[in-house]
Amino acid sequence: MSTAETGSNRVKRGLAEMLKGGVIMDVVTPEQARIAEDAGAVAVMALERVPADIRSQGGVARMSDPDLIDAIKAEVSIPVMAKARIGHFVEAQVLEALDVDYIDESEVLSPADYVNHIDKWKFTTPFVCGATNLGEALRRINEGAAMIRSKGEAGTGDVSEATKHIRKISSEINVLRSMTKDELYVAAKELQAPYELVAEIAETGKLPVVLFVAGGVATPADAAMMMQLGADGVFVGSGIFKSGNPADRAAAIVKATTFYDDAKIVADVSRGLGEAMVGINVADLAAPHRLAERGW
Amino acid sequence: MTSLHAGAPGQDAGDGPVVGILALQGDFREHARVLDGLGARVRLVRRPEDLDGIGGIVLPGGESSVMDKLARTFGLFEPLRERLRAGLPAYGTCAGLILLADEIEDGIAGQQTFGGLDVVVRRNAFGAQNQSFETDLDIPELGETPVHAVFIRGPVVESVGPDARVLAALDDGRVVAVEQGNLLGTAFHPEITGEHRFHEYFLDTVRAAA
């Protein structure tokens, strides 16, 4: 028997494969993490503030306190993810030392580097990164991301940007599939992505890593719509713990994600959930306040 | 509308054995692709009626606590448990092994299993994702070529009762593959490495039980 190899591409991408068809929930306390696990979350994202609060309180948003991450890890047995600022490779090193299961290099936090993202190949811990289009997704994969989430517009409860990003990625993949080899060289240039990755996607018709949707999902129907649009799973941030009845809403979103193509079940689980998060229309957000525009 | 989903095979086409795959959450499409390639007719199972007419079932990798919860909520748990007790062949990988174990350790509060394998399985036995790994395993039942095994926050079999048989263990002796009657379980994921021998082995069981 050969020796065991940790941190391989297959092992890193593999965890995301196991999360498919599931819901990853933002939590800011161990109590919320417990509610999320009990409701059927496949993983939790440990944060100090959910995006809606980052948005309303302003200021620089950074990696969470290690004590909070440890407390959430101690509370639940499902995977625990945590966010590092874009380009902040030392926050990522700290999260790796804390033994989190996935690192989210996230536009929801304030960027630490406006030029470079983290070189994610250097880490044993896998990374998930946001993308608004195929080129951005491929640049992150080229830097070592083992999972992609479309960005949407976090902390709004408005699903329209999430819809835009998953549709964009999907249609760009479809365009690649219909191209000849000589066209793919130009496509790679235009997508600002490596030719090898572009050619692979033209062949397989899908990203080489799992693709979740994030940013503005607030209801069971939102989650089911993202799944019907081709997502492998959903992140729900502010949508659960900024709503009137987090435990029931969380469980309902889990069920709607599994039975995304069964409108009767989506209808049933949508009953009596109380107030959804109030939300902000993305159209009312001035451009500098749009988080999806962070990262490049 | 599902163009991003990895090619789900045509269901119930051809004349191979009809094999269900529990499709509540996890990497069920990877299993579907392997089984489809081996000539099985694949049926994704989410509801009790999806169990009708299947000759075997695969319980995929994923989050065992979520699959357990959804199976109970949607009335799939008891009918599937009854069929397993009546001899329905099953193959569980990782979370699927947990679901087939008679007893588990480190489950979440109230977590249940279908059972059938006379073993105690410890969930997340290797620790966090940083301890996930891949390695080669010698499994004589599957031939001389070692099995390349990927463990992702995987479980281990802590103890094996008299009715279950060990198929594979790590160098340190920890048991990672077992079988008992028509049930087969591995702590690792052949479905994501291009390793088809476990699925072939399972399909032999399905054909023999038909």
Side-chain angles (χ1 to χ4, degrees), chain A residues 12 89 93 96 119-125 127 143:
Chain A
K12 288 163 141 182
F89 51 87
Q93 290 165 5
E96 178 166 71
D119 175 3
K120 294 166 271 289
W121 296 113
K122 287 185 175 171
F123 291 78
T124 299
T125 311
F127 279 72
E143 295 157 1

Side-chain angles (χ1 to χ4, degrees), chain B residues 33-119:
Chain B
R33 207 172 304 125
V34 175
L35 290 168
D36 190 51
L38 295 173
R41 286 178 284 169
V42 169
R43 165 118 37 99
L44 299 181
V45 172
R46 290 184 296 175
R47 301 172 180 79
E49 57 268 30
D50 298 331
L51 295 169
D52 294 340
I54 60 172
I57 189 161
V58 167
L59 310 179
E63 181 45 57
S64 61
S65 64
V66 174
M67 293 185 215
D68 163 44
K69 213 175 304 262
L70 288 167
R72 280 190 277 149
T73 304
F74 290 95
L76 186 60
F77 191 89
E78 283 301 330
L80 179 49
R81 178 150 70 178
E82 277 166 30
R83 278 170 210 246
L84 292 170
R85 281 183 181 155
L88 181 72
Y91 173 31
T93 62
C94 196
L97 166 64
I98 294 171
L99 291 170
L100 288 175
D102 279 345
E103 206 178 312
I104 57 171
E105 287 178 359
D106 293 343
I108 76 166
Q111 185 171 348
Q112 297 180 23
T113 67
F114 301 117
L117 287 172
D118 181 16
V119 295

